[in-house]
Amino acid sequence: MKYIRPGFDRLFFRYYVKYDDAFPGAHHVGGLMSARAPGVPDTNPGIQPNGTNQFDVLLDHWGRDPGVPPPGHLVAYVYHMDQQHKWGEQFYPSGKRRPGLHARGLFGPAFVPRTDFVPRRGRWYCYEFMVQANTPGQRDGRVAFWVDGRLTADFPNLRFRTVDTLKINRVQVGLYES
């Protein structure tokens, strides 16, 4: 984990991953960028962002889709102001949202659906992702990710904050399974 003070409105993060041939898949595996206001704990699961407290974006896997091999779909797992679920939401490149939500309207008219992506085990990948906090009062926040230099997903029209002092101020690469 790396703290970046005072933080950034937009940040890019690159890391490399190789899944072992026997990797069974896991949840919350990957790079995380987050914003925390002073006094808000680093780990604050289940608390919805209110525009002044926090937001999180994890380049993650969702391995619980039937018939999808490990490690599962590559998704953006996002805690944002408009989330409809207590535990955040998974955004798929195609525009599908979990849990059981539809992206209709959330990503706006500029959204371009792409093919959902499942990485293969036994090879290296270069993952890059970008988080852009919105301008307070605007829907111009964005999350995008690339795999091996190819744009794989781009989610515009997001709201993360209502104050410009809430900035991306933490990055980490992690492995977690609940």
Side-chain angles (χ1 to χ4, degrees):
M1 182 182 311
K2 173 75 174 166
Y3 294 94
I4 307 165
R5 305 281 188 217
F8 294 91
D9 295 322
R10 180 172 57 176
L11 194 62
F12 292 81
F13 186 10
R14 175 188 299 157
Y15 60 99
Y16 298 85
V17 173
K18 181 180 180 183
Y19 306 97
D20 185 82
D21 289 333
F23 182 65
H27 185 49
H28 298 334
V29 174
L32 170 73
M33 286 193 264
S34 58
R36 289 292 183 276
V40 175
D42 285 344
T43 304
N44 209 18
I47 304 299
Q48 183 166 341
N50 65 18
T52 64
N53 61 346
Q54 68 184 42
F55 62 85
D56 297 287
V57 179
L58 172 67
L59 189 53
D60 197 5
H61 299 97
W62 191 248
R64 298 177 180 148
D65 291 322
V68 176
H73 284 109
L74 190 63
V75 298
Y77 178 43
V78 183
Y79 273 71
H80 61 102
M81 288 176 54
D82 298 313
Q83 72 189 43
Q84 297 176 31
H85 190 270
K86 176 181 180 177
W87 303 108
E89 299 171 346
Q90 291 86 21
F91 297 166
Y92 290 68
S94 63
K96 179 171 114 178
R97 284 169 58 205
R98 283 215 181 270
L101 305 168
H102 298 284
R104 192 176 325 273
L106 178 65
F107 303 134
F111 176 70
V112 175
R114 292 176 169 79
T115 303
D116 291 333
F117 177 74
V118 178
R120 293 189 326 251
R121 296 181 289 187
R123 82 176 282 277
W124 282 100
Y125 289 96
C126 174
Y127 289 163
E128 300 170 86
F129 74 111
M130 183 273 304
V131 176
Q132 177 179 306
N134 63 295
T135 305
Q138 304 291 317
R139 295 187 70 84
D140 61 357
R142 182 175 162 220
V143 172
F145 61 84
W146 294 259
V147 176
D148 294 336
R150 173 178 278 149
L151 181 63
T152 305
D154 191 354
F155 308 104
N157 204 49
L158 299 173
R159 291 185 328 133
F160 293 108
R161 63 186 183 171
T162 59
V163 295
D164 65 359
T165 54
L166 186 63
K167 297 182 180 294
I168 303 160
N169 56 17
R170 183 179 68 147
V171 297
Q172 79 178 59
V173 175
L175 173 63
Y176 168 86
E177 177 60 27
S178 60

